[in-house]
Amino acid sequence: MKVFSLVCLLAVVPVAVSAAQTKPKAAGTQAKSSKGARTVELTGGDTMKYDVTSIQAKPGERLHVVLKSNGTAPKIVMAHNFVLLKPGTSALEFNNAAMTARDTDFIPPAMKDKIIANTGLAGPGETVDVTFTAPTKPGAYEYLCSFPGHYQVGMKGELVVK
Ligand SMILES: [Cu+2]
């Protein structure tokens, strides 16, 4: 009897596994929207810096920015995002407004219209991403991490469209 139930269990396990595997399909759908986009990988860690501070793009190019946090400090005190600002937007002003916007993952609701693209927050070991179309107008577009304090110590960079 015991052997029988063990066999049953073994027969059930693969079903459970395949059911669990349907979950990444949602991520697959997301990957579909980044299809045709060029992936740009960035990391950020406990030093509060991006490893990539300049991204080159062609006007109107589809980009898939992937940000991984390789830090170890708890997410509540150390998380990172990628926020690409529209031209003419002060990164400092955005940063200052973000400080009090913990409820919205440091994306100040009043300045949402100043953003070209942004990811969510990545805690230690986490990866966040966003797919967007680079501006068609050549120029340098600033990006920053809007977690409090990070912009001030230099967690920023620029997307250069040319
Ligand atoms: Cu950061």
Side-chain angles (χ1 to χ4, degrees), residues 45 48-50 78-81 145-147 150 155:
M48 297 172 277
K49 296 275 186 338
Y50 292 119
M78 182 68 66
H80 307 292
N81 63 7
C145 172
S146 66
F147 194 92
H150 294 196
M155 197 158 185

Side-chain angles (χ1 to χ4, degrees), residues 3 13 34 63 92 98 106 138 153:
V3 172
V13 165
S34 64
L63 295 174
L92 183 65
F106 304 109
V153 297

